[in-house]
Amino acid sequence: MSEYDYVIVGGGMVADNAAKGIREHDENGTILVVGSDVDGPYTRPALSKKLWTDAEFTTDEVPLGTEETGATLVLSTTVTSIDRDARTVTTDKGDTHHYGSLLLATGATPTTLDLRPSERVVYFRTFADYRRLRALATEGTHIVVVGGGYIGTEIAAALAQNKVTVTLVSSDDVVGGHMFPADLASVFQQDFEDHGVTVRTGVKVDSGAQHGNAVSLTLSDGSTIDADAVVFGLGVTPNTDLAEQSGLDVDNGIVVDEFLRTADEHVYAAGDVANYPDAILGRRRIEHVDNANSMGKTVGKIMAGSTEPYTYTPYFYSDVFDNGYQAVGTMSTDLRTVEDWKTPGKEGVVYYLDDDSVLRGVLMWNVWEGLDTAREMLKSGEKRDDESLLGAI
């Protein structure tokens, strides 16, 4: 059995940031990172953004260089159990490691259908998925993208910009309709159509089958689509099994306090898998990269002795064709929206309010300043009349 001061389960961006956070407070402590991915930690947003749209950004720039912290990286390996009394983890390779502090950064698993993943069926999540999709994405190839959320829309746009024939399938009546007010969603969908994407809305995939080098999908309206490949972006489920098996509190993620610590003082959780008390927005679980970076760095510092809690409220962002947005809080059309456009559909801010007229989310469309202002507005918890929001950012 090997012994480490810090064991990190999960090999993503949280693990990289945690290792670097540890090193800010502890130069010599031993660190073990155990990840099921075949690759060491890498910058995940590039997989659906810059690798497709920036010719100067190459795959060599994707790895994060976690090994520079001196951490031991064990890849293609899954931790199968935790013994919290003995403070050990055991892997599927039969190895047991003792920890001083343990970080669960186990991330999330893509939602899948009955259609099994293959070279032509990709549930997009990892660097390996990118490599597989990139090999398929030749000019004129027909690829179906299923899912109208962040990953689905980014991948559909990326493929279209690389001369791939793209069909985008979304359960929304209009692409982005679950997030954007009606007029903006209409503009958003039109952008795909203007770039040659065939858009199928208001339908889901009921079933699918692969036949040699072709994939056939049957949609909920009874129609079928034949293509060379399919990419799914249907959301994710947090990987909480390990925490549950070891008796930790799980509720839509691993429950942690403001120090990202579970009920076990030696066990922490961060990133996609952590249900934490956001200082502004209240208890929640966030899957975006800004949270992975900031929470990962903070939990590393705390594990190594910092007494500063995690008080940062992360934002999220997306880039699709020539448009981009950033947002903080809840972005859902289940809430009432107030729109403040400098140029309708091109540059402006959308505010999301609950039934009591309290601000719950802020979307900045092609507006790249104002995040701190948005956070302060959300923090106040005040009722807002519509006029007071106009020009606030």
Side-chain angles (χ1 to χ4, degrees), residues 21 31 40 143 151 183 191 234 270 367 379 390:
I31 305 171
I143 298 179
I151 293 298
D183 287 349
D191 205 10
L234 299 174
V367 173
K379 185 177 181 180
L390 302 181

Side-chain angles (χ1 to χ4, degrees), residues 110 133 143 170 252 267:
L133 183 59
I143 298 179
S170 172
N252 182 32
V267 182

Side-chain angles (χ1 to χ4, degrees), residues 233-250:
L234 299 174
V236 297
T237 301
N239 294 325
T240 59
D241 287 353
L242 192 60
E244 292 182 62
Q245 292 165 10
S246 62
L248 295 171
D249 189 11
V250 171

Side-chain angles (χ1 to χ4, degrees), residues 149-223:
Y150 304 105
I151 293 298
T153 53
E154 288 182 358
I155 287 296
L159 291 170
Q161 291 174 95
N162 283 268
K163 301 181 179 180
V164 174
T165 300
V166 180
T167 298
L168 174 61
V169 177
S170 172
S171 59
D172 283 339
D173 290 333
V174 181
V175 177
H178 66 292
M179 299 185 294
F180 306 138
D183 287 349
L184 179 56
S186 179
V187 169
F188 190 58
Q189 175 168 315
Q190 188 62 50
D191 205 10
F192 285 93
E193 294 172 346
D194 290 345
H195 282 85
V197 176
T198 299
V199 178
R200 297 290 310 274
T201 55
V203 290
K204 298 181 179 180
V205 174
D206 273 354
S207 62
Q210 182 176 340
H211 305 286
N213 292 332
V215 177
S216 179
L217 302 176
T218 300
L219 306 184
S220 55
D221 63 357
S223 63

Side-chain angles (χ1 to χ4, degrees), residues 8-12 33-39 73-79:
I8 301 172
V9 181
V33 176
V34 183
S36 59
D37 203 325
V38 298
D39 297 290
L73 270 61
V74 177
L75 306 178
S76 301
T77 301
T78 301
V79 170

